[in-house]
Amino acid sequence: MEETIFTINNVWMMICTALVFLMHLGFSLLEIGLTRQKNTINILFKNVFIISIGLVLYALVGFNLMYPGSFIGGVIPDYFFGLFGLNEPANGLTIAYADGHYTYWTDFLFQGMFAATAATIVSGAVAERVKLGAFMIFTIIYVGVVYPIAGSWKWGAGWLDELGFYDFAGSTLVHSVGGWAALVAVYLLGARIGKFKKDGSIGVIPGHNVPFATAGVLILWLGWFGFNGGSVLSADPGATSKVLVTTCMAAAAGGLSAFLVSLFKYKQYDLSMFLNGILGGLVGITAGADVMSVTDSIVIGFIAGALIVLGVALVDKMKLDDPVGAIAVHLINGIWGTLAVGIFGDLAGWSQFGTQLLGVVAIGAFCVISSFGIIYTLKKTVGIRVSAEEEQEGLDIHEHGMDAYPDFRLNQH
């Protein structure tokens, strides 16, 4: 019987791993859909690079950094100066590993799929004007070192875990980690040409393929069943089914809320807000999907959807150019979802809220300092922004020598 449960757990975790992998297709479609066609290949290249380098780096250093076993000064994983690569433990393929929930290799691959997500979030925020080489260097450092150290503080039994900080599947440890870097990158990079006009008005730079963006969000919603469902770390029917329901309800509520708030605010049925509202709801429920009731998850989703509309407006007001709304979705709702654990559900209470707030501030400070150091250094050395000519003519032609829609371009001439 134990062997059967062990096998079922592993199969479920592998399915969830595949669903999280599929999310990278969702991110790609969303990003290219909300940006201009002349940068399509550039965006696709970044997303393919992120998942490829992310898995390799996680195998070489990230996995051991995130789950070190012990820490130096309670903060730095001790493997930072030691173990390199993957080393299967003696019990790695047996029921003795991870309480019989999965094997060592299943553990690595599932966690590895999470690792690249942080850089994918940044990719959308800096789209259409970042130098590809600089972005790749940033990704290597951020995914290889910063993300796993931040994750180790909770998921690796670090100091935040000891304090009782709770983040079930990564509202802070995945989404805010990417969101903080996105905020810093957008600030240092500057806005796209034509986004903010001299008279103070905001220029509209529409995406070129809303059907792609819609497909991307629906794929992401599907992938979140693996993202949150797999974070149960077993195929326990009660826990898994509850997580899938709360995840789905928050997504639906987030979309409805964003559409209603944007309709009230702008008097238009805005599909892009609806789509980002769904994502905001998903990010918002991720920290506490296993400890929330269905009603809790709907309320969390509704608040997340409203935060999307208000957050996008705030980012524009601050003269920060985020083409896909990544800061509102992943940073603002990553913070909201983390704090919501102290307000709703099984863990609600002032003490838990305080611990959640501490975790948000600590991870935020670490990510802002780290990402600023990386990106500012790149800005002062190799440069992080393409020339005005390259930006106006498109990165596809200048950085890749290719066109995603050659027939369309020929017809335009």
Side-chain angles (χ1 to χ4, degrees), residues 154-167:
K154 163 60 185 175
W155 292 339
W159 69 277
L160 281 178
D161 186 57
E162 292 178 356
L163 290 176
F165 176 72
Y166 198 82
D167 192 355

Side-chain angles (χ1 to χ4, degrees), residues 27-252:
F27 279 121
S28 298
L29 290 174
L30 175 63
E31 194 176 336
I32 63 173
L34 294 180
T35 53
R36 291 167 290 187
Q37 68 181 50
K38 62 186 179 181
N39 300 308
T40 298
I41 289 174
N42 182 260
I43 288 167
L44 293 174
F45 189 98
K46 284 190 295 179
N47 279 273
V48 173
F49 173 79
I50 286 166
I51 184 64
S52 300
I53 195 66
L55 285 171
V56 171
L57 288 171
Y58 202 66
L60 294 178
V61 295
F63 190 52
N64 288 325
L65 276 177
M66 187 171 281
Y67 303 97
S70 60
F71 292 80
I72 298 172
V75 176
I76 301 174
D78 62 1
Y79 282 168
F80 189 85
F81 303 106
L83 195 59
F84 183 81
L86 297 175
N87 296 274
E88 178 192 320
N91 65 350
L93 304 182
T94 71
I95 295 176
Y97 183 82
D99 298 322
H101 290 170
Y102 42 80
T103 69
Y104 175 80
W105 298 117
T106 301
D107 188 11
F108 159 73
L109 197 58
F110 179 71
Q111 301 298 340
M113 290 302 168
F114 275 60
T117 305
T120 302
I121 293 165
V122 181
S123 171
V126 300
E128 302 201 289
R129 75 273 200 203
V130 72
K131 281 186 177 181
L132 182 57
F135 178 80
M136 290 193 291
I137 295 170
F138 163 79
T139 299
I140 289 170
I141 302 171
Y142 206 69
V143 173
V145 179
V146 177
Y147 166 76
I149 290 178
S152 75
W153 292 353
K154 163 60 185 175
W155 292 339
W159 69 277
L160 281 178
D161 186 57
E162 292 178 356
L163 290 176
F165 176 72
Y166 198 82
D167 192 355
F168 173 67
S171 287
T172 282
L173 298 176
V174 177
H175 296 284
S176 287
V177 166
W180 286 116
L183 179 64
V184 170
V186 166
Y187 170 73
L188 290 175
L189 192 59
R192 291 169 294 172
I193 297 171
K195 177 62 179 178
F196 300 111
K197 300 180 180 179
K198 292 182 179 179
D199 62 3
S201 63
I202 300 172
V204 177
I205 305 177
H208 85 281
N209 199 318
V210 176
F212 273 4
T214 305
V217 169
L218 293 175
I219 289 170
L220 285 166
W221 191 344
L222 172 63
W224 235 284
F225 291 142
F227 198 90
N228 284 2
S231 294
V232 175
L233 302 180
S234 77
D236 178 270
T240 300
S241 57
K242 180 184 180 182
V243 164
L244 296 185
V245 170
T246 57
T247 297
C248 210
M249 290 303 100

Side-chain angles (χ1 to χ4, degrees), residues 249-279:
M249 290 303 100
L256 290 172
S257 174
F259 127 64
L260 290 171
V261 173
S262 64
L263 177 62
F264 177 79
K265 186 175 176 63
Y266 301 112
K267 305 299 185 285
Q268 289 183 324
Y269 295 95
D270 191 330
L271 177 59
S272 65
M273 285 294 187
F274 203 149
L275 295 174
N276 271 336
I278 291 170
L279 296 180

